[in-house]
Amino acid sequence: GVSCQQPIWHGGSSQLVTWQTQGDVAQVDIQLRGDWYSNWLEMGVANTGSRLLTVPNGLVPGTYRVRVESTAASTVHALSGDVKIDTDATPPALTGVSCQQPIWHGGSSQLVTWQTQGDVAQVDIQLRGDWYSNWLEMGVANTGSRLLTVPNGLVPGTYRVRVESTAASTVHALSGDVKIDTDATPPALTGVSCQQP
């Protein structure tokens, strides 16, 4: 069984986790799991039967479990009992994603702003369209705003900006619609032909 020395954890703290094994388990991977969260905290570490883990900051307050598994065989694993993380903290939240300009052009710089509460140290920023999704920035400091460069060559249309916590993807918000290159000729490929060699 996997045991956590303390039943209540806080983001940024160090917590001792112990486990027992039998047979040949040379290395283990250690994962933190919650209702809507799963993240590898350590991978390919020597199986010593214990590990001091750093609890990620910015997690949604709640109940989590630690999973320890063999690096060589994921079916060889065990779960800890419940641990409470940051249950006394203000839950992280992102709101009010706003784009300064409603019309964008490929290659231009555009300001996006947002508001947060709780522990949201870093954010990832994504551009989304009907058939398009691309991360424009990942793991950037949460300053409440970012000047983004609009990718060139996008299909003209309506897009939205998604800002999410790097630590907890369930903490996110979407902007309203922005129009990108709607006055441009759509990119296209034509005239593909095959010829005999």
Side-chain angles (χ1 to χ4, degrees):
V2 177
S3 297
C4 301
Q5 189 176 37
Q6 300 295 324
I8 299 172
W9 294 3
H10 294 282
S13 67
S14 295
Q15 299 294 334
L16 182 64
V17 175
T18 60
W19 61 90
Q20 298 80 41
T21 56
Q22 67 182 26
D24 184 18
V25 181
Q27 293 183 320
V28 295
D29 301 332
I30 304 171
Q31 183 181 53
L32 184 63
R33 293 179 153 199
D35 287 340
W36 301 100
Y37 179 84
S38 177
N39 190 36
W40 294 103
L41 301 181
E42 301 273 351
M43 295 188 73
V45 297
N47 178 16
T48 61
S50 67
R51 191 75 175 179
L52 195 60
L53 302 175
T54 300
V55 181
N57 285 308
L59 295 176
V60 174
T63 303
Y64 293 79
R65 297 177 87 185
V66 176
R67 175 184 166 118
V68 179
E69 75 176 41
S70 166
T71 300
S74 63
T75 57
V76 177
H77 66 271
L79 279 172
S80 73
D82 291 347
V83 293
K84 304 287 186 186
I85 299 180
D86 289 336
T87 53
D88 57 346
T90 301
L94 271 156
T95 58
V97 176
S98 178
C99 302
Q100 190 176 35
Q101 300 295 323
I103 299 173
W104 294 4
H105 295 283
S108 67
S109 294
Q110 299 294 334
L111 182 65
V112 175
T113 60
W114 60 89
Q115 292 83 46
T116 58
Q117 74 172 24
D119 185 8
V120 182
Q122 293 182 317
V123 296
D124 302 332
I125 304 171
Q126 183 181 55
L127 184 62
R128 294 179 153 199
D130 287 339
W131 301 101
Y132 179 85
S133 177
N134 190 38
W135 294 104
L136 302 180
E137 302 272 353
M138 294 189 75
V140 297
N142 177 19
T143 60
S145 68
R146 191 75 175 180
L147 195 60
L148 302 175
T149 300
V150 181
N152 285 308
L154 295 175
V155 173
T158 302
Y159 293 80
R160 297 176 88 185
V161 176
R162 175 184 166 116
V163 179
E164 75 176 42
S165 166
T166 300
S169 63
T170 58
V171 178
H172 66 271
L174 284 170
S175 73
D177 292 347
V178 292
K179 304 288 186 185
I180 299 180
D181 290 334
T182 53
D183 57 347
T185 302
L189 292 168
T190 61
V192 175
S193 64
C194 300
Q195 298 179 3
Q196 294 276 350

